[in-house]
Amino acid sequence: MKITIISVGNIKESYFLEAIKEYKKRLSKYVTLNEIVIDDYPNIKDENKVKEKEGEAILKAIPKDSYVICLTLDGLSLDSVGLSNKLKEIFTYHSSHLCFIIGGSLGLDSSVINKASLKLSFSKLTFPHKLFKVILLEQIYRSFKILNNETYHK
């Protein structure tokens, strides 16, 4: 099983990097994890142009034959057990390679959202996209603990 996480913008904050490193280490027991970071475009003032350029780069980075999950505010909302069941379903019936996509601060271009096999929402709240990578990794880790009947979830 493989998981690729595509996200926009580099993370420089050491506290986020340490948390990401920790969850990547924990997940290595269950899955091969690949991270792809897409450049952001802070010098372009036109927000639509920024999303379009980010979207083009994201679409080029999506691994062939992966099951694409876009993280959006208007996506399917699940609890942790529901997410673990959804991941099991995807791995069992659809693909052994999941690709999660985290947009930049402006969100995802419609071209990327249209490519998704699943739109997923973790909350109606807006999170900083740098923090969200930590949240995503933690929830994926929690899902594998649930699926393996291990105690972390409680």
Side-chain angles (χ1 to χ4, degrees), residues 6 13-14 21-22 34 36 44 46 83 97 99 101 112 115 120 122 125 138 142-143 147 153-154:
I6 299 174
E13 296 84 0
S14 61
K21 181 179 172 184
E22 177 63 25
N34 183 32
I36 299 171
I44 298 176
D46 182 346
L83 178 62
H97 191 170
C99 179
I101 301 176
V112 177
K115 176 79 173 164
L120 189 61
F122 275 30
L125 299 173
E138 191 281 333
R142 182 179 297 273
S143 291
L147 291 173
H153 176 58
K154 299 286 179 195

Side-chain angles (χ1 to χ4, degrees), residues 29-88:
K29 174 181 173 183
Y30 304 103
V31 69
T32 301
L33 183 66
N34 183 32
E35 243 186 304
I36 299 171
V37 177
I38 303 298
D39 290 333
D40 55 5
Y41 295 89
N43 297 328
I44 298 176
K45 301 297 180 211
D46 182 346
E47 291 184 357
N48 289 327
K49 190 68 171 168
V50 170
K51 285 173 61 172
E52 182 182 314
K53 285 190 145 310
E54 290 172 354
E56 290 169 0
I58 289 168
L59 290 172
K60 287 179 187 171
I62 294 173
K64 190 173 178 80
D65 299 325
S66 62
Y67 187 95
V68 178
I69 301 172
C70 284
L71 298 151
T72 66
L73 286 173
D74 64 342
L76 177 66
S77 183
L78 300 168
D79 62 12
S80 294
V81 172
L83 178 62
S84 65
N85 289 331
K86 179 56 88 174
L87 295 184
K88 179 180 178 183

